[in-house]
Amino acid sequence: MLAGGGVIKLAMSRRGFRHRRSEDQFTIRGEYARNLQFVYAKEYDTRSGLVVDLVYFSVDVLSEKLVIGLYRENPTIENGIYINASRSLDLKQFGADTVERELDKLVTPVKDRLK
């Protein structure tokens, strides 16, 4: 499992996400926030304004699962949350291919993007 961080970092860098090292930059509350390990962010300019994707990775130790969550919002407007979803992956199946598949299902393209 020691190489697991490299699998996640590579998958996220391919998608253009940056690792957020400071927890005070973004606050994520919820069931998995206590075990938060990695948070990656990516910003998009759209016709509707700024859209920020936060993808977080945590571990549900009791169920032995990796939890991957997506929080997509427009921080410039009140109640600008577009997506708040998560998927889980059995730790026994953890690998580059399975992480990529789960990210493909979870992190969908942002609509209404400016070029």
Side-chain angles (χ1 to χ4, degrees):
M1 186 59 87
L2 188 59
V7 168
I8 292 169
K9 289 177 186 176
L10 183 61
M12 297 310 290
S13 68
R14 285 184 186 153
R15 288 174 164 74
F17 282 78
R18 294 179 300 146
H19 181 57
R20 293 294 191 186
R21 298 187 188 279
S22 174
E23 291 182 17
D24 59 347
Q25 287 176 325
F26 296 103
T27 302
I28 298 176
R29 302 191 190 287
E31 184 177 352
Y32 303 109
R34 291 185 309 269
N35 299 324
L36 195 60
Q37 299 297 319
F38 296 108
V39 177
Y40 291 86
K42 186 174 181 179
E43 297 179 355
Y44 305 91
D45 286 322
T46 67
R47 291 182 187 97
S48 306
L50 178 68
V51 174
V52 178
D53 276 0
L54 297 174
V55 177
Y56 63 90
F57 296 84
S58 63
V59 176
D60 181 348
V61 178
L62 186 60
S63 299
E64 297 181 352
K65 295 192 180 290
L66 173 70
V67 179
I68 306 169
L70 171 65
Y71 186 77
R72 180 175 288 162
E73 70 171 342
N74 182 337
T76 59
I77 60 174
E78 188 175 347
N79 297 325
I81 299 169
Y82 299 128
I83 298 174
N84 186 3
S86 65
R87 298 187 61 84
S88 61
L89 170 67
D90 191 341
L91 288 176
K92 293 176 185 172
Q93 298 173 346
F94 180 82
D97 293 338
T98 54
V99 169
E100 290 285 349
R101 274 195 303 269
E102 292 301 319
L103 285 170
D104 288 342
K105 293 175 187 174
L106 185 66
V107 184
T108 56
V110 175
K111 296 179 179 152
D112 194 29
R113 289 182 61 180
L114 294 177
K115 301 227 178 199

